[in-house]
């Protein structure tokens, strides 16, 4: 009998890409299975899923907006209607596909398919990426069959204190790219070191401003600068033969293969990828992250010596340049940081999650 699975999650890459990694691992375990993804038509997945030709359904659901603007008021007033319509669409999808399990990876698109599955007694699994669980995980953790967590610290925030520590799944293509070919893709030379800056799918203004201030000090260094879609126009003026300013990096495997040092926020997925690729890093946790979870995430790499962590309030162009040049100027230190990063990686995270799914799907 052909098994069908639904994987729901998105909004940002931090929720979407673990979903893709789990889907790939499920397909390996059950080659004849059908994997169907559910996301939001307002999220990153609305572009990524069609581009990757993944069977999918997009819901007209998005999160609450903070603030008191007209836009926020209008969007929040629509939320109850969007909620009901997305829930009904989720139920119809479950009826049509008859999945043996529904897996949620967080974000506002994952809650309603999970809730619909719970109401229909279909086995459910949540994968939580962060040390401080998101709203969907906290809301449904006591009602799903299994919660897979990436950090032990997440357990204390769950209503049901049980949870299986699996780590964050990383797509295979992230760790398998060739450096020479990756440099060619970005139009960079093998003769100079490469610094890669990641600010998330929308970009990080604090990191972008610091990089702008660091450019004059980062001499004889090549830079892959993911400025983000919201900030691309503002920082594209700094594009040059050795500085590549991009709104979004489509080939993350090539990005990591090319980079000698990575500058990044401390989102859980980014850290899992940095660790899996063994990249020395400069981490700047987002100060506004819920429960300060990015600082807690970053500590997992800093404590091993794999990363330097700088508080966003202390970040300047000068500080960024000094930290990066200090790393690049010490080959032994770079090698030690690389080894430390790999020591905390969990390359079998996706396999462990699939094993948990298999347990509930065949019970």
């Amino acid at each position: 009998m052909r098994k069908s699975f639904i994987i729901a999650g998105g909004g940002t890459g931090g929720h979407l890409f673990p979903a893709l990694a789990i889907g790939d691992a499920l397909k390996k375990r059950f080659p004849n299975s059908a994997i169907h993804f559910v996301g939001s038509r307002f999220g990153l997945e609305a572009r990524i899923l069609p581009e990757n030709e993944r069977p999918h359904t997009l819901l007209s659901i998005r999160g609450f907006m903070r603030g008191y603007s007209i836009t926020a008021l209008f969007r929040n007033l629509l939320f109850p209607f969007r909620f009901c319509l997305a829930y009904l669409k989720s139920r119809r999808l479950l009826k049509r596909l008859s999945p043996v399990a529904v897996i949620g990876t967080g974000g506002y698109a994952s809650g309603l398919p999970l809730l619909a599955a719970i109401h229909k007694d279909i086995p459910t699994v949540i994968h939580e990426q962060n040390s401080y669980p998101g709203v969907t995980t906290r809301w449904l953790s006591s009602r799903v069959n299994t919660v897979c967590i990436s950090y032990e610290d997440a357990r204390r925030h769950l209503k049901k204190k049980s949870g299986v520590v699996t780590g964050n799944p990383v797509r295979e293509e992230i760790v398998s790219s060739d450096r020479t070919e990756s440099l060619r893709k970005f139009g960079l030379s093998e003769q100079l070191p490469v610094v890669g800056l990641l600010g998330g799918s929308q970009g990080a203004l604090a990191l972008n401003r610091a990089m702008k201030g660091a450019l004059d000090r980062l001499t004889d260094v090549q830079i892959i600068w993911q400025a983000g879609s919201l900030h691309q126009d503002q920082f594209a003026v700094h594009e040059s033969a050795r500085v590549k300013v991009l709104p979004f990096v489509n080939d993350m495997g090539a990005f990591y293969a090319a980079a000698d040092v990575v500058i990044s926020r401390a989102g859980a997925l980014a850290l899992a990828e940095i660790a899996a690729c063994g990249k020395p890093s400069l981490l700047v946790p987002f100060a506004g992250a819920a429960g300060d979870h990015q600082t807690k995430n970053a500590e997992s790499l800093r404590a091993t010596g794999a990363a330097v962590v700088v508080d966003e309030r202390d970040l300047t162009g000068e500080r960024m340049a000094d930290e990066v040049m200090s790393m690049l100027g010490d080959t032994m230190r770079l090698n030690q940081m690389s080894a430390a990063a790999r020591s905390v990686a969990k390359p079998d995270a996706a396999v462990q999650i699939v094993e948990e799914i298999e347990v509930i799907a065949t019970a």
Side-chain angles (χ1 to χ4, degrees), residues 249-263:
V249 178
N250 289 308
D251 189 343
M252 288 303 301
F255 174 91
Y256 288 114
D260 296 289
V261 170
V262 174
I263 303 170

Side-chain angles (χ1 to χ4, degrees), residues 217-274:
R217 292 171 174 267
L218 294 177
T219 56
D220 297 324
V221 174
Q222 300 173 109
I223 300 167
I224 305 172
W225 180 353
Q226 186 208 345
S229 56
L230 297 179
H231 309 298
Q232 170 71 8
D233 293 344
Q234 181 179 351
F235 296 97
V237 66
H238 301 291
E239 174 89 18
S240 70
R242 68 178 184 87
V243 180
K244 309 301 177 181
V245 184
L246 307 169
F248 186 77
V249 178
N250 289 308
D251 189 343
M252 288 303 301
F255 174 91
Y256 288 114
D260 296 289
V261 170
V262 174
I263 303 170
S264 178
R265 287 298 200 190
L269 177 62
L271 299 199
E273 293 176 346
I274 287 169

Side-chain angles (χ1 to χ4, degrees), residues 311-322:
D311 191 292
E312 186 173 323
R313 292 167 296 187
D314 300 326
L315 183 67
T316 63
E318 181 178 355
R319 177 74 182 276
M320 178 181 282
D322 287 348

Side-chain angles (χ1 to χ4, degrees), residues 140-342:
L140 295 175
S141 63
S142 63
R143 302 181 66 182
V144 298
N145 296 87
T146 302
V147 179
C148 296
I149 56 179
S150 301
Y151 297 91
E152 178 63 38
D153 190 53
R155 193 189 309 277
R156 65 190 181 92
H157 301 290
L158 303 178
K159 293 179 181 178
K160 186 168 64 177
K161 299 303 180 183
S162 60
V164 181
V165 180
T166 60
N168 271 306
V170 173
R171 292 166 292 156
E172 286 189 6
E173 61 264 30
I174 294 293
V175 296
S176 59
S177 295
D178 176 75
R179 177 175 170 80
T180 298
E181 176 63 19
S182 297
L183 289 169
R184 186 193 65 77
K185 283 184 178 180
F186 289 107
L188 299 176
S189 165
E190 294 189 54
Q191 308 307 313
L192 296 174
V194 178
V195 172
L197 184 147
L198 287 175
S201 55
Q202 294 184 334
L205 189 57
L207 269 61
N208 288 335
R209 286 173 172 166
M211 178 56 77
K212 176 184 176 181
L215 288 177
D216 289 342
R217 292 171 174 267
L218 294 177
T219 56
D220 297 324
V221 174
Q222 300 173 109
I223 300 167
I224 305 172
W225 180 353
Q226 186 208 345
S229 56
L230 297 179
H231 309 298
Q232 170 71 8
D233 293 344
Q234 181 179 351
F235 296 97
V237 66
H238 301 291
E239 174 89 18
S240 70
R242 68 178 184 87
V243 180
K244 309 301 177 181
V245 184
L246 307 169
F248 186 77
V249 178
N250 289 308
D251 189 343
M252 288 303 301
F255 174 91
Y256 288 114
D260 296 289
V261 170
V262 174
I263 303 170
S264 178
R265 287 298 200 190
L269 177 62
L271 299 199
E273 293 176 346
I274 287 169
C277 295
K279 293 299 172 179
S281 57
L282 171 62
L283 303 177
V284 185
F286 174 46
D292 198 25
H293 71 257
Q294 287 209 2
T295 298
K296 296 170 185 173
N297 292 350
E299 177 61 20
S300 65
L301 288 186
R302 189 208 64 78
T304 66
V308 173
V309 179
V310 176
D311 191 292
E312 186 173 323
R313 292 167 296 187
D314 300 326
L315 183 67
T316 63
E318 181 178 355
R319 177 74 182 276
M320 178 181 282
D322 287 348
E323 295 289 1
V324 168
M325 295 306 293
S326 175
M327 285 187 267
L328 291 175
D330 189 337
T331 302
M332 181 177 293
R333 183 186 178 195
L334 280 181
N335 290 337
Q336 290 172 342
M337 293 180 75
S338 179
R342 286 195 171 92

Side-chain angles (χ1 to χ4, degrees), residues 50-62:
E51 284 181 359
N52 285 268
E53 299 181 343
R54 308 273 187 153
H56 65 277
T57 296
L58 298 176
L59 305 175
S60 294
I61 188 72
R62 65 199 312 176

